[in-house]
Amino acid sequence: MLSKLYIENVAVIDKMTVDFRPGFSVLTGETGAGKSIIIDALNMVLGERASKDLIRTGNNSAFVSALFDMFSTDVITELSTYGIEIDENGELLIERQISTDGKNTCRINGRPVTTGILREIGKFLVNIHGQHDNQSLLDPEKHLSFLDRFAVTDELLSSFQDAYKNTGEIKKQINALKLDEHEKARRLDMLRYQINEINAASLKANEDIELGEQKKRVRNAEKISSALSMAYEMLYERDDSAAALIETSKNELSGIASFSREINDAYLKLGEISFELEEVTDTIRT
């Protein structure tokens, strides 16, 4: 139920608060007294299109708030879809401000929302009856809801909705299992072809890693060849190659190795180095 309506800077209204009590309320007055302004303000806070012309002359914005303290289960359900809850006092405060620069600010219980959400919530809060129009009674989508509420079928309706949802899920599962024979045959042919392709490839464990390394070598073949050639030349082919220098050093030490254990150890170590260098050189040449 609408319990309080606050209007500020709307049309000719500066500030006004209307308190509604339980029971039947009537807005009366002569033509031009401002009844339609109150309806326009109520429509505005419920998310209807609001023109900047509604803003009181000389002001930059207009503000309307509506406080509700009684709701149907439809309102609570609709609010939950947007993550909005009734406050601890069991009340719902809707606010909207429009500005001359076109900005719109809408809130429900302090939470920012769009005008679209206000419209969806507003459909469940207020019915405005005119001479020839009605917001809900003429909407065919609302007729079943009216009938269910009149018949007090909330529990039965909930059970039916659950059963209907479960039935739909089961139908989806059945349809997913109903592949026609042609589709089955096509899939079997495809799977057999793929299995044969895999078997024919004779794949081995870690073959992808080996192929990746081989691909890297092929892409860098020129760089590898140049580096290996230079290394081989420095180690073996040049007159001053590492192998030649080590051999010369060995020859120099061979004649004096018997004079000292340390010199003999150095001579033997050069022999080991010469042997290892030969293996390295063979590997590079290969």
Side-chain angles (χ1 to χ4, degrees), residues 19-37:
D19 293 306
F20 295 92
R21 298 179 180 178
F24 185 61
S25 299
V26 179
L27 300 176
T28 64
E30 299 178 358
T31 300
K35 301 186 298 299
S36 61
I37 296 176

Side-chain angles (χ1 to χ4, degrees), residues 104-142:
N104 242 313
T105 303
C106 307
R107 297 181 184 275
I108 297 180
N109 279 356
R111 180 168 181 169
V113 296
T114 64
T115 53
I117 294 177
L118 284 190
R119 276 195 299 275
E120 292 302 316
I121 301 298
K123 292 178 182 179
F124 298 94
L125 293 172
V126 174
N127 285 325
I128 298 177
H129 299 263
Q131 289 176 295
H132 304 290
D133 63 345
N134 181 275
Q135 286 190 332
S136 297
L137 293 178
L138 297 180
D139 186 353
E141 294 184 0
K142 300 288 191 301

